[in-house]
Amino acid sequence: MQSEGLPAFARLAADGADAADIAKEAAATWRDMHGILAAIIGETGVAAVFRRSLYLAQADFAWLAPVYKTSAPADLFASLQSELAKQSSLQALAGNGELLHHFITILNTLIGESLVQRLLGSAPDQPSGPDAAQERK
Amino acid sequence: MTKATINRLATGVPGLDEVLGGGLPEFSFNLIAGAPGCGKTTLAHQIMFALATSERPALYFTVLGEPPLKMLRYQQQFDFFDSRKITQSIHFVNLADDASSGDLAKVLARIIAEVQKHAPALVFVDSFRSVVLAGKAEGSSYLGLQQFIQQLGVTMTSWQATTFLLGEYSDARDPNPNPVFTVADGLIWLRQSVERNSVVRQMEVTKMRGLPTLPGLHTFRIDAAGIEVFAPPALEARPVTQFPPSSRVAMGVPGLDAMMGGGLPRGYSLLIAGPSGSGKSIMAAAFLAEGARQGETGVIAAFEQRANKSRGQIIADLIDNGRIGVVDTRTSTLSVDEISRVLIAEIVRLKASRVVIDSLSGFELVLAPAFRADFRESLARMVAALARTGATVLMTSELEDRYSELRFSPYGTAFLTDAIVVQRYVEIDSRLERVMAVVKVRASAHSNELRLFSITDTGIQLGEMLQDREGLLGGRPSRHGREGEHGTASSPK
């Protein structure tokens, strides 16, 4: 699934917003997606895919590890917001983009791209711009 | 004052509407029950995708059973799954969290809230058993469950929603039936049985208020297109082809028509019985080729392993030209009803007036073991259904030569057919010769001659009667001095 234009939190980065703003926007986006998906595949289903995405993303973004270790599903997004806010804005954007990329890829693999597109519409997917990749640790 | 009208919804599942007695009653409260893996979720999805529209939206509740991710993953493999309908006319709602609390009132409230939000015309709860178990886990009383089900049933019907509860229930004949069985308007049971290497899926509608459902177990198949149910062959209201009354069918074997009293009466079923290699398939091919020569179309269900070779070039060409339809019989889990349904569909499609089943022996072999016990009954049903199409049917049957007894057909099928031709081997002057006789043509005069015949490149050539022999049916005739009598016989009605 390709994103259509810059998602709101990426625009924040382009406008010079700090990591806290990006983290807040990212968490809001995740909660929106969660709201859509949990109604269909359940809290457990969304949490399972999100954790798998975290596991994959932390290979390049080790600072995501504490989020992965968060036990309560309800606390996952708050934990993510907290960790994102500790990073530089570009690092936060890249880490969140990687997470999103894995999340959408897993969903695409499991239930097909057309259905994911159908459910999430043009939800954010890839981190935009070359900076995101450069910032990976 | 007018009575309430119950609309019947076409389920979109081939054969199911016939089993249901004409479709699914609108606003009915139904249970789709069966063991895991028997096709409940697939049946529900197929019905939902067929019926859901923007004006008639569907709500699919998933509970604690199959994880929705997996359900969506596997269901989208079916042709009927149209992801464009999701979020437009089909809405999935996961109730796992509500059900896990074990509070049935909470589950009911959530269901009602979602029903109010989406105003669905179709509601599915998959699996309902999970709701029941969750309720029991918290010590809910039987009454609580009963009330829950009744409230759910009443609410759904008042909201004008046709509802399906999917559940894993062990048996419809449970002496302590689940209260849901009482409340439900319709009970659809899905079963699958394994015998040797065959798996047979069967459906039974044990209850459907207000509809004359077809009783008994009906086989169904699940393939890429989804579920197809094979109801007993419907009797055609009128013949597919029209011919003058009392007309007869030429058999395509010179001399045989005369032996049958002027050909086989049209619309009759004929059994050709004989040992292996006696020429049954060649006679069947001649029958179809003669039909094509006279502008008729035909259908063949061939169960012989080398069907293509045994049919001959003329038949192969007619198949290629679409003058003869071929029924696919390769699978090994067939039921007689399934083949009947496919045959009749092909007869209707081609407006066929000649049908060949070659052979009943091969047919029995490809049937799933579970169906072999009922072969005779099913065959009788099939012959009756084929007769209603108006087609003339020729069936071959392998009949082992037994010289110590006079048999005309295996399986006791002789009474099923209107006419019988028997072929046998006899030893004459150290040669294995073939003889044939017309044993029966119902309500018609026919020859009682036992005639020699040979098979040449041009087909079956009827020879003379062996007038100076006796004991032909014993396999080793002896010469006698006087001429044998010959003439005509007539089979009673």
Side-chain angles (χ1 to χ4, degrees), chain B residues 370-441:
Chain B
F371 298 123
R372 290 181 194 159
D374 300 328
F375 187 56
R376 259 180 91 208
E377 290 87 336
S378 309
L379 203 59
R381 214 160 52 218
M382 183 175 86
V383 170
L386 290 175
R388 288 290 287 261
T389 68
T392 307
V393 182
L394 184 153
M395 297 182 282
T396 67
S397 179
E398 181 121 347
L399 184 65
E400 198 179 322
D401 268 344
R402 289 189 187 166
Y403 297 108
S404 57
E405 59 177 305
L406 188 59
R407 289 176 76 220
F408 298 126
S409 71
Y411 322 112
T413 43
F415 77 98
L416 291 178
T417 58
D418 302 308
I420 299 174
V421 169
V422 164
Q423 302 174 337
R424 293 187 84 149
Y425 289 115
V426 292
E427 180 197 334
I428 296 173
D429 299 336
S430 295
R431 289 178 191 278
L432 203 53
E433 301 284 1
R434 297 176 173 93
V435 293
M436 79 164 79
V438 177
V439 175
K440 156 182 166 183
V441 180

Side-chain angles (χ1 to χ4, degrees), chain B residues 280-307:
Chain B
K280 300 181 295 296
S281 295
I282 293 172
M283 195 179 272
F287 170 75
L288 287 176
E290 177 64 20
R293 206 178 62 77
Q294 299 191 15
E296 298 174 35
T297 46
V299 174
I300 182 166
F303 298 91
E304 302 302 312
Q305 288 187 339
R306 301 178 66 191

Side-chain angles (χ1 to χ4, degrees), chain B residues 50 126 152 159 231 305 339 439:
Chain B
D126 182 6
L152 187 67
W159 273 83
Q305 288 187 339
I339 202 75
V439 175

Side-chain angles (χ1 to χ4, degrees), chain A residues 38-46 48-49 107 109-115 118-119, chain B residues 62 68-70 72-74 76 81 83-88 92-94 96-97 110:
Chain A
I40 297 166
I41 64 173
E43 303 269 351
T44 315
V46 181
V49 176
L107 278 181
T109 308
L110 291 177
I111 60 172
E113 199 173 333
S114 62
L115 185 53
R118 186 83 212 161
L119 297 176
Chain B
T62 51
L69 262 178
K70 287 192 174 186
L72 292 170
R73 175 173 171 76
Y74 291 111
Q76 66 181 258
F81 193 98
S83 58
R84 289 170 303 179
K85 286 195 170 185
I86 294 173
T87 70
Q88 186 193 50
F92 287 96
V93 175
N94 186 255
D97 295 322
R110 175 80 195 281

Side-chain angles (χ1 to χ4, degrees), chain A residues 43-123:
Chain A
E43 303 269 351
T44 315
V46 181
V49 176
F50 188 69
R51 276 190 198 282
R52 170 69 177 153
S53 313
L54 279 166
Y55 178 82
L56 294 170
Q58 69 180 357
D60 288 324
F61 299 91
W63 48 266
L64 284 170
V67 189
Y68 179 73
K69 288 171 186 160
T70 305
S71 56
D75 298 337
L76 279 169
F77 301 134
S79 174
L80 175 66
Q81 182 175 347
S82 165
E83 293 304 321
L84 287 172
K86 294 176 190 170
Q87 313 304 316
S88 71
S89 57
L90 286 179
Q91 184 64 205
L93 190 61
N96 188 63
E98 180 79 353
L99 188 57
L100 205 48
H101 167 73
H102 287 302
F103 187 80
I104 297 296
T105 303
I106 293 167
L107 278 181
N108 284 346
T109 308
L110 291 177
I111 60 172
E113 199 173 333
S114 62
L115 185 53
V116 175
Q117 182 99 45
R118 186 83 212 161
L119 297 176
L120 296 179
S122 54

Side-chain angles (χ1 to χ4, degrees), chain B residues 78-310:
Chain B
F78 291 110
D79 296 345
F80 58 73
F81 193 98
D82 180 0
S83 58
R84 289 170 303 179
K85 286 195 170 185
I86 294 173
T87 70
Q88 186 193 50
S89 55
I90 292 175
H91 304 276
F92 287 96
V93 175
N94 186 255
L95 289 179
D97 295 322
D98 305 271
S100 63
S101 69
D103 184 348
L104 291 180
K106 189 177 169 189
V107 175
L108 185 64
R110 175 80 195 281
I111 290 176
I112 291 172
E114 293 291 344
V115 167
Q116 288 174 349
K117 180 178 165 190
H118 294 283
L122 302 155
V123 171
F124 298 81
V125 183
D126 182 6
S127 96
F128 186 73
R129 177 121 174 116
S130 308
V131 177
V132 173
L133 288 176
K136 281 183 179 168
E138 287 297 306
S140 294
S141 67
Y142 177 86
L143 189 65
L145 179 64
Q146 178 101 343
Q147 281 177 337
F148 170 80
I149 292 163
Q150 278 179 339
Q151 281 190 35
L152 187 67
V154 168
T155 306
M156 291 306 154
T157 305
S158 344
W159 273 83
Q160 295 174 292
T162 308
T163 306
F164 300 84
L165 308 182
L166 283 65
E168 294 163 8
Y169 302 94
S170 55
D171 203 306
R173 294 161 191 86
D174 191 334
N176 298 306
N178 191 297
V180 72
F181 296 166
T182 316
V183 177
D185 300 315
L187 285 174
I188 301 173
W189 287 87
L190 305 183
R191 296 190 176 89
Q192 62 180 356
S193 61
V194 180
E195 195 170 330
R196 298 188 210 167
N197 283 333
S198 78
V199 177
V200 173
R201 296 179 187 274
Q202 291 179 308
M203 173 185 290
E204 184 181 15
V205 180
T206 54
K207 176 181 180 183
M208 190 57 71
R209 285 194 225 273
L211 286 183
T213 58
L214 292 181
L217 294 166
H218 308 292
T219 47
F220 68 96
R221 204 174 264 284
I222 303 181
D223 60 19
I227 288 178
E228 181 172 6
V229 187
F230 301 101
L235 299 179
E236 292 291 323
R238 62 186 66 173
V240 176
T241 47
Q242 296 284 354
F243 289 94
S246 308
S247 64
R248 295 209 174 210
V249 171
M251 295 298 297
V253 175
L256 183 57
D257 292 344
M259 286 179 74
M260 301 183 101
L264 181 64
R266 196 170 278 283
Y268 269 30
S269 53
L270 164 67
L271 181 74
I272 299 178
S276 178
S278 66
K280 300 181 295 296
S281 295
I282 293 172
M283 195 179 272
F287 170 75
L288 287 176
E290 177 64 20
R293 206 178 62 77
Q294 299 191 15
E296 298 174 35
T297 46
V299 174
I300 182 166
F303 298 91
E304 302 302 312
Q305 288 187 339
R306 301 178 66 191
N308 280 331
K309 293 197 174 179
S310 65

